[in-house]
Amino acid sequence: MSNPKKQHYVPQFYLRNFKDDSSENLINCFNIKTKKPYKASIGKVAQKKYFYESSKNNLEYQLSQIEKESSKYIRNLVKNKKYKYLNNLYIRANLSYFMSLQFIRTNDKREWIINHSYELKEEISQEVEIPPKFQKLFDELPSKEHVKDWHLEYIEKFSLKFFKYFYYKKWILIKNKTNLNFWTSDNPIAIWNPINPPGLGQEWSFIFFPLSPRLCICLADPFHFSNLDQSRTSSVGINILKATYLKFKDDVDVINNNMIEVDSCNMNVFSKDCDFEILTEH
């Protein structure tokens, strides 16, 4: 089975939840480096040629099968907006794995590998004298092919290991009741922490995953976040047993949520409308 040349690190089915009303295939984008908004075809954003294929590995088909399964649950959730739907443990497990994969499969994570490789290379060159016979090999590192291989291995090894950081959180469905849109980005799994540096396993970390302009999944630290619609409890077991929901009725809440996505993105923020005025003002 031949794989497509353009391989999306953010699935097209997901991006279509944020499509422009004027077309089934257009989405509004904002490039945070050029500070310019533009419209683009969903097929041409958040993708690169043969992104998941290397001489040692090929994950495109495997990832497409996972997307096919998870897309059913995400579409159902976007359509019905029923937070109790998340109490189904199989659905929660499926979405946890999908989010874990989405967190580590993006171009942002590949660039992280490149940047840290150069940092490590610089430290080594300062501390160790490279033997002449290895100098050429050392100068070539990290090559694009090496980085791709490392990233694909990273996706395979860590997607299941990161699963627990999603599944065992307190699940909250945020319903947007304002006139503003939730945004998403080319790195849509965003982490925010009001106290500590953000990290999946860091205490007090919140994970945000916008599903549509009207809906966002929030995963909260169960040790510090009590049920919203029940009496407060210190029991972690009770706290994570049932999903709950929040309604955003204040524009400020939506704006803050969107800015978390902006901080997380690699290059582009996406929205249903071209409503990026707050970004062009800064």
Side-chain angles (χ1 to χ4, degrees), residues 18-21 28-29 39 179 181 183 270-276:
F18 298 86
K19 68 180 180 65
D20 189 279
D21 285 339
N28 291 282
C29 315
K39 278 182 176 25
N179 292 322
N181 295 315
W183 298 344
F270 305 118
S271 179
K272 172 180 171 291
D273 300 311
C274 190
D275 50 2
F276 303 115

Side-chain angles (χ1 to χ4, degrees), residues 33 55 72 83 98 105 111 113 156 192 216:
K33 294 185 179 179
S55 58
K72 296 185 296 185
Y83 68 96
F98 177 84
R105 66 183 282 189
E111 290 186 359
I113 294 172
E156 287 195 302
W192 175 74
C216 180

Side-chain angles (χ1 to χ4, degrees), residues 4 13 74 170 211:
F13 86 83
I74 291 176
K170 175 64 183 176
L211 298 180

Side-chain angles (χ1 to χ4, degrees), residues 28-63:
N28 291 282
C29 315
F30 185 89
N31 186 304
I32 62 168
K33 294 185 179 179
T34 64
K35 302 287 185 183
K36 292 182 179 179
Y38 63 99
K39 278 182 176 25
S41 166
I42 288 173
K44 294 182 179 180
V45 299
Q47 57 80 28
K48 287 193 172 184
K49 286 185 178 180
Y50 302 114
F51 190 73
Y52 297 115
E53 295 182 38
S54 75
S55 58
K56 295 182 179 179
N57 217 330
N58 188 337
L59 297 185
E60 174 65 15
Y61 178 74
Q62 179 183 340
L63 290 170

Side-chain angles (χ1 to χ4, degrees), residues 103 169 190-207 221:
F103 179 69
K169 287 283 197 285
I191 305 174
W192 175 74
N193 195 308
I195 298 173
N196 301 309
L200 284 180
Q202 187 66 270
E203 193 176 36
W204 284 102
S205 279
F206 291 78
I207 299 170
D221 183 342

Side-chain angles (χ1 to χ4, degrees), residues 119-156:
E119 290 174 10
L120 180 59
K121 184 175 175 179
E122 180 66 23
E123 289 180 15
I124 291 174
S125 64
Q126 290 177 2
E127 299 292 332
V128 178
E129 184 176 349
I130 308 300
K133 64 179 180 179
F134 295 122
Q135 187 65 52
K136 183 178 179 181
L137 176 63
F138 184 77
D139 290 342
E140 291 174 352
L141 293 174
S143 70
K144 289 183 178 180
E145 195 66 16
H146 280 131
V147 169
K148 183 183 283 189
D149 284 335
W150 292 340
H151 187 212
L152 297 184
E153 289 176 14
Y154 181 77
I155 292 171
E156 287 195 302

Side-chain angles (χ1 to χ4, degrees), residues 241-270:
L241 182 62
K242 292 184 178 180
T244 187
Y245 76 98
L246 281 171
K247 289 182 180 179
F248 279 1
K249 298 180 180 181
D250 193 323
D251 289 355
V252 172
D253 291 326
V254 177
I255 291 170
N256 288 339
N257 206 84
N258 287 340
M259 296 311 293
I260 291 171
E261 278 295 313
V262 173
D263 290 340
S264 173
C265 87
N266 179 229
M267 180 74 74
N268 285 301
V269 181
F270 305 118

